[in-house]
Amino acid sequence: MNCGSNTASVSWSGGNGALSFTMTMECSNGQTYICSTNETECDITNMACGQTCTVKVVAEGHSCNSSEGTGSPVITGPCVPQNVSASVSCSSNIATVTWGSSQGAELYTVTASSVNDLSANCTSPSTSCDLSALTCGQSYIITVKAKGSNCSSGNSAPVQVQAVPCTPSNVLPTVDCVTKALVVSWTPSAGGQYYTATLQDSNGQSTSCQSTDSQCNVTGLSCGQLYRVNVTASDSLCSSPPSATVSTNSVPCAASSIRAVLDCQLGTATVSWQYGAGAQGYAVSALAPVNTRTSCTSNSSITHCELSDLQCGNEYTVNVQSLGYTCNASAQMTGLLITGPCVPQHLTVHYSPSTALLSWDVTKGGSNFTAEAVTLEGLTVTCETSNTNCTFPHLDCDQIYNISVTAHNSVCSDTVTSDPIKTEPCPPQNVKASLNCATLSATVSWEPSQLAVGYVAFLEGGNDHSTSCQTNHTYCSVPYLTCGTVYYVRVRAIGEVFNSSDSTGVNMTSAPCLSTSVSAMVDCTTDSVLVSWSAIAGAENYSVTALGSEGQTVSCSTNQNHCNISSLQCGQQFNLTFSSTNQQCQTTSTTNVTFLSRPCVPLQPVINTLCGNKMSVMSWDVREVVDYYIAQAFSAAGEYQLCNSTSSVCSFSTLGFGETFTFSVTAHRGHCQSDTSAPVYLTTDPCKPENVTAHVSCDSETVELDWSKAKGASFYIVMATGSLGYFVDFNTSSTNLSVSLLCGQSYNVSVQANSDTCDSLPSIPALFKLAPCTPLNLVTYFECDNQLGSVSWGTSDGANMYTATAVGEDGNTHLCVTNWTSCTWEDLHCGEIYNVTVTANDSRCTSARSNSTTIHMAPCVPQALTPILDCGTGVGSLSWASSAGAETYEVVAVNEDGNTLAFSTNITSGFFSELLCGKQYQVTVRAINGQCRSEPSSPAYLSSVPCVPQNVVSELDCTFNFINIRWNISRGAASYLVVVKGPEGPVTACNTTAQVCRLQTLHCGSSYDVSVIAVNQQCNTSGSSFLQINTVPCVPTHVQSSVNCTTGDVSVSWDPSLGAISYAAVAQTSGGYASVCNSTGTACVFSDLLCGMNYSLTVSATDGTCNTAPSQPVVLSTVPCKPQNASAQLDCDTNSAVVSWELSDTVTHYTVQAIGSDGHRIDCTSSDHSCTLNGMHCGQNYNITVAALDGVCDNSNTHLVLKSAPCAPSNVQTSLHCDLRGGVVSVSWVQANGAESYMAVAVSNDGHFYSCNTTTASCDLQELQCGQIYNVSVYSLAYGCGGVKSTMSQVQTAPCPPQNVSAIVQCDSGSVLVSWNPAVDASLIIVELESESTGVISSCNSTNTQCSITHLPCGERFNLIVVSLRGGCQSQPSSNLSITSAPCIPQGVNGTVDCVTNSAWVSWEVANGAESYTVLAVGEDGNNSTCSSSNSTCNAPDLGCGRSYTFYVTASNAACLSPPSSSFQLETAPCALSSIVVVAECHSSVIMVQWQKARSGNSLYFATAEDQDLSILSCNSSTSSCNLTNVQCDKEYTIIVAASANKCSSLRSPPYKIRTAPCQPSSVQADTDCQSNNVFVSWNPSYVAQSYLLTAVGRDGDLKTCKTSDINCTLTDLQCSNIYQVSILASNENCTSLPSDNITIKTMPCDPANLTVTLQCGNSSSASLSWVGSTGSVAYMGLAQSENGTTTYCETTKTSCILEGLVCGTVYNFTVQAMDGFCNNSLSETQTKGAAPCPPTGFRVIPRTVVNDTQILRASWSAVNCPNSEYLLALTGSIQGTDQALFDITSYWTSRTVFEVPLPCASTYSATISARNSATTSGKSAAVTGTTVPCAPLNVTFSASLAVVAWNESLFAENYTVYGVTSSGRMKLCTTSQLLCSVTNFSSGHIVVTAQNAAGESGDSVPVVAVTADRRR
């Protein structure tokens, strides 16, 4: 048999006699071949494949034919396999090849080959085979060859498959730092037609981009994000696994709120800013105009750094750059950082006496300078200048000056110093010359001059005697002076360079001569002595000293020879001493002269009288050196008595009644007498009052009394004694009196006359009685239960009977007369209100009626209760009859469980809407008013509806389609009805007393509503909510299928199944490849079926609970395959495209047709794998068709869509919107074809760049800089192509607002001058001034830098706005500025004089615009007084006495003074008295005022003190002092003394001011600042306090003090968790107050320490916190704050708590906050931890396919309940059980819950799974261990003689299986655990052995040929 040509050659042996032969071949397909030949062979050609033919040959002779000879059968080659199809599994990259069965085939071989010689093959006895060794991304041509017993067929028609694209490699995300886009690039992978890059940011948000190239762009990235990037490659069918995830960071967010603070001393600046997300650090740079740069950096957690090396005198631009991983973001600080000025250089000083001239160089950055000359003692002379020189004209002598010059600018200053300069010595001061009178030598001394090196003293005498001395000390001595000479003494200081001028001279006189006789003559009248002596030569002055016996020393000095010593104290003996003196010496000598002064005035005169007797006794203190005393008594009528005594007592008799006497006494010795003693006064006993009468009325408690006047009485005492013991007295100076006495008593009234010392006898009494008292304290009582009412009252004095009256609102009156103090009425009506009063009576009078009170009787009991139950709503209602007196009703319903329902109402009905089901209620009603509750009504009874059956559930049996209904027992139910409503209508399925019901014979796919109704005797409407149940869906029927030859989709349809909510259609090949299509309708389209395959289609239905059985299968074949891996790549620059595809062996050539959206068509033809489309139009979408032509099928087309490069935008126009903030430019253009979006870009001349993106034909450029010219271009953007640029347009933005606007109010002219910096881009500046009160706007405009607005009204506030104009465009207004015009002139000015304080109160009307006022008082003598005030009054103090003052008031504000008001004049009171002396102790309530009494007259003096509140204290006296009492603390008293009660009299003292001690500080309050732990203490102010001392003492002795002049103080640095006692002392210049009452303050608790955090894994996890507590804390709060600001907390009073509900995958900052009930700011240190997922559960490893001694292990696990979790599979183990071959494998992090790992055979492994999220990584799961399949046994041998197969042991093998492989298939021969096996039932073929264990079966061993011995024979 020739298998290639299917030709059979038949030969035979020729027989004798045969002439020819006829060979007949009959084949199995019925075809017969006949060959006649005369040869012995014959060839049969073109035989059908796969046939078995029998051959018969007949030899033909001349006449006969032979019998048929039969040969061996002829078997033709197998047929070529047909209907070959192949499909690739996208998940496993395994190609499943199927074909039709070929006749004659015993075995099939499938071969797949790629263009680069990669191949794969498989062999199968069936009609399908899996190619598992495909290389990703390769296109394979697959053929199938059939193998028969002796031949193989040709290859089948080739089919093409595409392996799954390879995973892209070298994924590189690159951030475009300018556009903030992310460019993702990769190395294209084999088989990839397009690529998808997926980005996921830190928040879990994802975005993607697609490209057919090796990169794509993602725009619009958020700053500060971490993006995770992976790339997948895809073709038209499959996608590759994603690449390994690569992370990259976006551009960090720019810093904000940049501030710079300069440290002038260090020359550094601290720059701070707000955190920029994503920043890994910060770089701060400062650039000065001359490119001077400095910088500093900080890490991401620190948002400040310090700039050093700043150069003086510079202005720096500060930029903060947020540093990212690859990109940076910059932000510039608003304004400039100005450094301090440089140090002045080359400072020189030139000095001549008292003057120094300074000069220095020009200093960079210095706007002005301060020169200082400072002495060592701190004396400072300064000079301010903006020049570079300065002069100090008047420097002090004797000083060393340190010279410095400081340069200043707006922020800092810097100083340079020079060498110190020394001035000349000062003339010596305090020159003194002292004389040694004994030796006549002089010592000259002086104060040192600091810079002197020596001194010279000069003495020049009047008698031409001169001398000197020189020294380096501050004294020197000069001897041998002449007596009686006057010397002129001066001193000169010698300096290093200059000498001082001479000191001020002093005179010195030498000692005088000796004295002579002395005499003395006393004058008692003047208390003086005249002393005389002889003249003494050489004396300049004389001094006489008299030393008294009691220590008084008096003297007189004179330059005459006599002198008078005055002011001798009385009663002393004096000795005389005489001295003669001059300027230097004194000569003293005793005289032995003595004399006596006059007697002293008697002291402590006292007059005592014996009241009721006519004798008075006067006494006084005894004085020494007195001969006798004379006492005198003078009456007011001029009568007098004298009494002489040598002792200290004198008696006066017969002085009479009612007379007033003045007593005095004088002391006498010789012809001298003392002054008269101070007078004492006495009035003798007054006379007894007569004719006392009383006038009484029943209607009044007032009694009119009168009596006759009694002589000598200064006042009267009226005494009234009541019969009930009441006593009262009254003082009066009149002879009549109206008094109010207590009612109801009999009175005895007498009158007694009083003088200052004695009382008269009482008068004869008057007797009377008052009416009884009105009853008081009425109290009403009522008994709510029995309708009783009563009233009680207090006893009325004088009453013997009472009448109580009760009047009802219905007019009924009830009386009760009693002699008790209570009454009860038993006939009062329920529900009535009674008004009750009481009167008291005696035999003569009736009292007034008492105040009324009321009795509210209890309401009547409600009647006629009627309860009704609404079964439908379950609501009970109740009604009843109205009750008299009821205001409200209380309804109570109580069931048998004691459950109570109650409500109150003001109507006679109500509802019970909350009745518990299945209960009986007893209902009662009470009537209520404000006082009583009635008895409950008779009860009514109400039964509620039975309870609704609960927890109605169903149990569906999916197999048998029946349902059990169950429910809970229902309270109040007697039985249950189960009602079912289905397709056949509602039926009662069960009536039962149980709680279960079975529903059978249900229709498939039907929905039933089931309700359970509880029934009792009253209601049966209490049904449960309907439970909807569904039966098992029906099996789908009439399944039909069709294929779409154009799309290759397979459509399946079926009839709807009742009850189904979705369907699952399954398409399955004979090779086992299956595809599932889920649908909620009755049709489904399979779009992923492999081309060229036979599929069996079935449909099953589901309702979510039960699934039906599959429908009857339908068989269908899919469309043939199309050209594979066609792609089109655009060249954006040339606008051409290269279309490529994979070659197919069966295709002869390819045609490519591209048709644009504008109809443009391009064609190309190629027999290769690509062709080029040239000349594409811009902006068009091209539909590309790639047709593979083989001359048979016309549907093998592949369609592509390609967008050409976009066109450029045209007609670009710009428009400026001046009215929008910042100057917005609108850009518009004509849209360009093909553009997906546009980017408008504006670039200024200085390089500033702005852009806007849009998909429309316009956009607005925001926040352009003012005053700039921008070039604007528009770019067309499309996916895959860069921008195509338009022509350029130019636009100028709005002018900038004027800068540095300032306004100067010109107060005199009433105008304001506004100025600003020059604006280069403005043609006109407009200034507007708007009044805040009237809204009136004034304006001016200017083309330069200032303009003025005049005629401003006074007293108004204005808002100032300045704008720039250019053409029709106006800038934004300048920063708001407010100004105030000058205040208006005060009007209505007037004033009054306060004579006590000698001040003037001035008042006026409030002036508009005034903030304060100043009052000026101008005296006629030029002395002025002023005061200031913020209101409309002011007190001008300290005015002179008896002066005329002119007063003016001016108003002022921060800007201006008003002109003065109209003036007025006041004249102060005169002051004729001399000054006064005031004596006050610090905490005394008395001030003693003393004054000089006039020598003549007996005036009564009045001392008046007025405090700051205008309160008055006064006292009077006829002596020289008096005491002001009730003096209060915290007062400033102004005190005057006047000789009359008229304070403004002419005889008055000047005012004297004194301040009392401050009061004890009060209202002390303490407020704790919880942020700083500082305590702010405040108290009420003291008017006189100048300072306060606060003391705080902690319980551990910690002391804090604060001294202040304010009324508050802040205590800092307090210890936490401490208790302090705080007190305040107030002080002024004289006194300190008592300490305030202590207050206690508690400081905030200390921070909790040693925080530990233990986190549980998983979602909704918890964290256990514990810490060390702090004293003073009453509670703690544990806090966990996530990155997005969500806070979870727990509160406790202990030192641990658990935080619940933490979200897995979130990073938390954990802290503990201590709380003391007020402060919650004590925070522990923060700990940061992430909530980790738990290790995944359900982890298992399943062994799967074995290929080439490698087993695929599929690991699977349950997803963790944690957002955005990824998983990592880890395997460790060994290969072939040796320690020399270990492996440690981890997967990549994946979000899938399954992962496949290949392991070699005979490997042991330990697998774990762990999870992670953005927060942290979980622990590892419990390990799963196992082994892979054993390796295929080695050294398999077959013994034909023994028919035994043997092999070597395979590690980990548990069993072995021997297979026989023949052309008809594979058969199992034996299974054993041994290493050999007997084969008896296998004749020939190949034998393979596999090894098995729990992981599966190994691959086949190397086949061995097996031919049994019998076969070989």
Side-chain angles (χ1 to χ4, degrees), residues 1479-1515:
V1479 179
E1481 298 294 333
C1482 280
H1483 297 292
S1484 172
S1485 62
V1486 176
I1487 295 177
M1488 185 174 72
V1489 185
Q1490 298 176 325
W1491 57 87
Q1492 184 68 43
K1493 178 182 175 184
R1495 288 188 177 273
S1496 62
N1498 253 336
S1499 297
L1500 185 63
Y1501 294 89
F1502 293 86
T1504 303
E1506 181 179 305
D1507 67 16
Q1508 68 268 21
D1509 300 323
L1510 306 183
S1511 298
I1512 299 295
L1513 298 178
S1514 64
C1515 64

Side-chain angles (χ1 to χ4, degrees), residues 1599-1913:
L1599 175 65
K1600 303 294 182 186
T1601 60
C1602 175
K1603 189 170 185 179
T1604 179
S1605 59
D1606 296 323
I1607 58 170
N1608 57 69
C1609 198
T1610 299
L1611 292 170
T1612 60
D1613 300 323
L1614 298 179
Q1615 296 176 351
C1616 60
S1617 295
N1618 206 342
I1619 297 176
Y1620 287 84
Q1621 300 293 328
V1622 177
S1623 63
I1624 317 290
L1625 289 173
S1627 301
N1628 61 17
E1629 66 273 10
N1630 298 319
C1631 298
T1632 299
S1633 74
L1634 297 174
S1636 67
D1637 294 333
N1638 279 353
I1639 66 167
T1640 300
I1641 59 174
K1642 293 182 179 180
T1643 57
M1644 60 187 290
C1646 297
D1647 294 342
N1650 300 337
L1651 173 63
T1652 59
V1653 180
T1654 304
L1655 271 170
Q1656 293 183 351
C1657 63
N1659 204 16
S1660 297
S1661 64
S1662 63
S1664 176
L1665 279 62
S1666 63
W1667 58 89
V1668 175
S1670 56
T1671 302
S1673 299
V1674 298
Y1676 300 89
M1677 181 181 290
L1679 298 165
Q1681 187 171 38
S1682 66
E1683 295 169 318
N1684 60 6
T1686 302
T1687 300
T1688 303
Y1689 66 91
C1690 58
E1691 291 184 287
T1692 181
T1693 57
K1694 299 182 173 58
T1695 57
S1696 65
C1697 71
I1698 295 176
L1699 288 168
E1700 302 286 353
L1702 302 184
V1703 178
C1704 183
T1706 303
V1707 176
Y1708 289 91
N1709 291 323
F1710 292 91
T1711 56
V1712 174
Q1713 185 180 65
M1715 300 177 288
D1716 63 359
F1718 178 74
C1719 280
N1720 303 330
N1721 286 65
S1722 301
L1723 291 173
S1724 67
E1725 293 185 356
T1726 300
Q1727 288 199 19
T1728 301
K1729 288 192 175 183
C1734 293
T1737 58
F1739 179 46
R1740 60 178 184 164
V1741 179
I1742 300 175
R1744 291 183 58 100
T1745 311
V1746 178
V1747 178
N1748 296 333
D1749 287 339
T1750 298
Q1751 184 171 30
I1752 304 298
L1753 298 182
R1754 169 171 283 189
S1756 63
W1757 53 91
S1758 300
V1760 297
N1761 186 14
C1762 188
N1764 302 319
S1765 292
E1766 296 177 315
Y1767 307 92
L1768 184 72
L1769 175 68
L1771 296 97
T1772 59
S1774 64
I1775 302 172
Q1776 297 286 344
T1778 174
D1779 292 337
Q1780 303 303 312
L1782 301 177
F1783 60 86
D1784 187 349
I1785 303 171
T1786 57
S1787 68
Y1788 51 82
W1789 286 102
T1790 178
S1791 58
R1792 300 171 59 191
T1793 57
V1794 64
F1795 201 93
E1796 293 186 345
V1797 177
L1799 284 184
C1801 59
S1803 297
T1804 59
Y1805 62 87
S1806 174
T1808 58
I1809 186 70
S1810 54
R1812 76 171 182 185
N1813 52 32
S1814 56
T1816 187
T1817 301
S1818 75
K1820 292 183 178 181
S1821 68
V1824 174
T1825 59
T1827 60
T1828 59
V1829 296
C1831 293
L1834 300 177
N1835 299 324
V1836 177
T1837 61
F1838 175 74
S1839 171
S1841 60
L1842 299 176
V1844 171
V1845 181
W1847 55 86
N1848 288 354
E1849 181 182 6
S1850 292
L1851 185 64
F1852 303 127
E1854 297 172 358
N1855 288 297
Y1856 300 88
T1857 300
V1858 179
Y1859 294 92
V1861 179
T1862 66
S1863 58
S1864 59
R1866 180 187 182 101
M1867 60 184 296
K1868 182 187 294 184
L1869 301 179
C1870 69
T1871 299
T1872 181
S1873 60
Q1874 305 300 314
L1875 299 180
L1876 53 86
C1877 183
S1878 176
V1879 179
T1880 59
N1881 55 351
F1882 185 74
S1883 58
S1884 66
H1886 291 88
I1887 287 180
V1888 295
V1889 182
T1890 63
Q1892 298 94 32
N1893 60 12
E1897 186 174 18
S1898 73
D1900 292 345
S1901 64
V1902 176
V1904 297
V1905 177
V1907 179
T1908 61
D1910 293 339
R1911 179 69 182 265
R1912 283 199 301 270
R1913 290 192 294 270

Side-chain angles (χ1 to χ4, degrees), residues 17-317:
L19 298 177
S20 63
F21 302 91
T22 298
M23 186 275 298
T24 302
M25 185 178 294
E26 295 178 353
C27 295
S28 53
N29 60 355
Q31 189 172 5
T32 301
Y33 299 95
I34 299 174
C35 174
S36 296
T37 181
N38 54 5
E39 303 292 333
T40 56
E41 60 181 5
C42 193
D43 291 335
I44 304 299
T45 60
N46 297 319
M47 295 183 68
C49 59
Q51 301 298 315
T52 300
C53 302
T54 60
V55 179
K56 297 178 182 179
V57 181
V58 175
E60 298 174 351
H62 292 285
S63 58
C64 294
N65 298 333
S66 69
S67 61
E68 293 178 339
T70 303
S72 59
V74 174
I75 300 175
T76 62
C79 295
V80 174
Q82 301 297 315
N83 299 322
V84 177
S85 65
S87 63
V88 176
S89 170
C90 293
S91 59
S92 64
N93 199 27
I94 294 176
T96 300
V97 185
T98 61
W99 54 89
S101 179
S102 296
Q103 288 186 352
E106 296 179 357
L107 193 66
Y108 298 93
T109 299
V110 180
T111 301
S113 60
S114 68
V115 293
N116 51 0
D117 297 331
L118 295 174
S119 64
N121 55 70
C122 64
T123 302
S124 173
S126 64
T127 58
S128 66
C129 190
D130 288 340
L131 294 169
S132 60
L134 299 184
T135 300
C136 61
Q138 296 297 317
S139 178
Y140 286 88
I141 301 299
I142 296 177
T143 58
V144 182
K145 181 181 290 186
K147 184 177 181 182
S149 59
N150 54 358
C151 285
S152 296
S153 73
N155 289 330
S156 67
V159 295
Q160 190 174 22
V161 296
Q162 179 70 37
V164 173
C166 294
T167 300
S169 59
N170 300 325
V171 175
L172 177 63
T174 304
V175 176
D176 188 325
C177 298
V178 176
T179 64
K180 299 182 181 178
L182 182 67
V183 179
V184 183
S185 62
W186 55 86
T187 300
S189 61
Q193 295 178 356
Y194 65 93
Y195 301 89
T196 302
T198 303
L199 289 73
Q200 185 180 60
D201 64 17
S202 309
N203 300 321
Q205 301 296 319
S206 297
T207 185
S208 62
C209 63
Q210 287 188 336
S211 173
T212 57
D213 203 350
S214 60
Q215 68 177 41
C216 68
N217 295 355
V218 179
T219 59
L221 297 185
S222 300
C223 63
Q225 293 288 329
L226 175 66
Y227 284 91
R228 295 178 174 86
V229 183
N230 60 51
V231 181
T232 57
S234 303
D235 56 17
S236 58
L237 297 176
C238 293
S239 297
S240 72
S243 66
T245 300
V246 181
S247 296
T248 188
N249 291 85
S250 64
V251 176
C253 296
S256 59
S257 303
I258 303 172
R259 295 178 63 248
V261 179
L262 183 69
D263 188 324
C264 295
Q265 293 183 340
L266 302 178
T268 61
T270 299
V271 181
S272 62
W273 56 89
Q274 292 291 331
Y275 167 75
Q280 301 305 303
Y282 301 92
V284 181
S285 62
L287 180 64
V290 292
N291 288 328
T292 300
R293 179 185 295 271
T294 184
S295 63
C296 62
T297 60
S298 75
N299 60 35
S300 59
S301 62
I302 299 175
T303 56
H304 60 84
C305 74
E306 187 174 274
L307 291 170
S308 57
D309 300 327
L310 296 175
Q311 292 191 0
C312 57
N314 264 326
E315 295 182 351
Y316 285 87
T317 300

Side-chain angles (χ1 to χ4, degrees), residues 1396-1398 1504-1507 1532-1536 1551-1554:
V1396 175
T1397 60
N1398 248 18
T1504 303
E1506 181 179 305
D1507 67 16
E1532 183 183 71
Y1533 288 101
T1534 301
I1535 301 174
I1536 64 165
Y1552 183 97
K1553 291 188 177 181
I1554 185 172

Side-chain angles (χ1 to χ4, degrees), residues 1386-1391 1402-1405 1447-1449 1461-1462 1464:
Q1387 303 295 322
V1389 180
N1390 55 52
V1402 182
S1403 64
W1404 55 89
E1405 297 172 359
F1447 291 84
Y1448 305 89
V1449 182
S1461 68
S1462 301
F1464 69 93

Side-chain angles (χ1 to χ4, degrees), residues 1213-1343:
Q1213 296 182 349
T1214 56
S1215 174
L1216 175 64
H1217 299 287
C1218 297
D1219 56 336
L1220 297 179
R1221 182 170 180 83
V1224 174
V1225 171
S1226 291
V1227 186
S1228 63
W1229 55 87
V1230 174
Q1231 286 193 330
N1233 285 338
E1236 297 175 0
S1237 62
Y1238 303 90
M1239 180 173 67
V1241 178
V1243 181
S1244 66
N1245 293 334
D1246 59 358
H1248 282 96
F1249 176 94
Y1250 297 90
S1251 66
C1252 59
N1253 291 75
T1254 181
T1255 58
T1256 64
S1258 65
C1259 71
D1260 292 339
L1261 292 166
Q1262 307 279 355
E1263 298 181 356
L1264 298 182
Q1265 293 184 344
C1266 59
Q1268 296 284 335
I1269 296 176
Y1270 284 89
N1271 294 318
V1272 180
S1273 303
V1274 181
Y1275 293 82
S1276 295
L1277 305 176
Y1279 181 79
C1281 282
V1284 180
K1285 184 178 180 182
S1286 69
T1287 57
M1288 191 179 302
S1289 177
Q1290 198 170 74
V1291 65
Q1292 185 173 10
T1293 56
C1296 295
Q1299 300 298 311
N1300 295 329
V1301 176
S1302 63
I1304 301 174
V1305 177
Q1306 296 168 325
C1307 301
D1308 297 335
S1309 62
S1311 63
V1312 59
L1313 178 64
V1314 184
S1315 61
W1316 53 87
N1317 285 358
V1320 297
D1321 59 335
S1323 58
L1324 184 67
I1325 307 296
I1326 295 179
V1327 179
E1328 289 187 350
L1329 203 62
E1330 181 179 4
S1331 169
E1332 290 185 356
S1333 59
T1334 65
V1336 174
I1337 297 177
S1338 305
S1339 65
C1340 66
N1341 57 63
S1342 173
T1343 57

